[in-house]
Amino acid sequence: MLTITRALYDQIVAHARADHPDEACGVVAGPEGQGRPERFVPMLNAARSPTFYEFDSGDLLKLYREMDDRDEEPVIVYHSHTATEAYPSRTDVTYANEPGAHYVLVSTADTDGSGPFQFRSYRIVDGEITEEPVEVVEAY
């Protein structure tokens, strides 16, 4: 299960909405080995595409160096889908290279009639997709 604060949840959704119609992407880092998302790091979608996201390689290298310096790890890797449901595509699965991370997808399309977005979390390990519940809390 992914437990996330309301503030982080709102920041991810706001980033997805702000970058629409392009896909948004980013990371939420947390203390190494604790599985607790704490530091919101919105990234630039270098592809600037409504159907694909790509982290800028320089920005990603800088982020990983920062996380190493701070004893952090990527707890959440997130991106948005602008025209489809919040479910990992084959490309998403191919690029999922953090087996310990929660992969959050936010759909900015109203694909299920339940409102202007979906927020869903998955574990993706060795190509296997497992959806997990999301618990939004006020604080840890």
Side-chain angles (χ1 to χ4, degrees):
M1 172 177 4
L2 170 62
T3 302
I4 185 170
T5 63
R6 168 65 57 195
L8 288 169
Y9 178 96
D10 289 346
Q11 287 177 300
I12 292 170
V13 170
H15 184 205
R17 287 180 168 160
D19 281 13
H20 187 87
D22 290 338
E23 289 192 4
C25 58
V27 171
V28 182
E32 207 167 290
Q34 294 186 26
R36 189 176 66 235
E38 291 184 354
R39 187 167 63 95
F40 177 68
V41 186
M43 304 284 282
L44 173 69
N45 177 355
R48 296 178 192 226
S49 166
T51 59
F52 180 74
Y53 82 97
E54 181 178 29
F55 291 119
D56 177 85
S57 58
D59 290 347
L60 196 58
L61 180 60
K62 180 182 171 205
L63 172 62
Y64 272 81
R65 285 183 175 152
E66 275 180 15
M67 287 190 298
D68 281 346
D69 291 345
R70 297 168 67 126
D71 295 323
E72 292 177 327
E73 63 187 355
V75 179
I76 296 173
V77 177
Y78 74 87
H79 76 280
S80 61
H81 282 181
T82 61
T84 59
E85 71 174 318
Y87 188 82
S89 68
R90 283 180 295 193
T91 303
D92 297 339
V93 172
T94 301
Y95 288 111
N97 59 3
E98 290 289 346
H102 302 270
Y103 285 88
V104 166
L105 280 100
V106 175
S107 175
T108 54
D110 184 5
T111 58
D112 65 1
S114 68
F117 70 93
Q118 298 172 337
F119 187 106
R120 295 166 73 183
S121 183
Y122 303 88
R123 294 294 189 146
I124 304 174
V125 180
D126 296 329
E128 181 99 11
I129 303 166
T130 306
E131 187 166 6
E132 61 183 350
V134 176
E135 180 183 16
V136 180
V137 298
E138 292 309 312
Y140 297 120

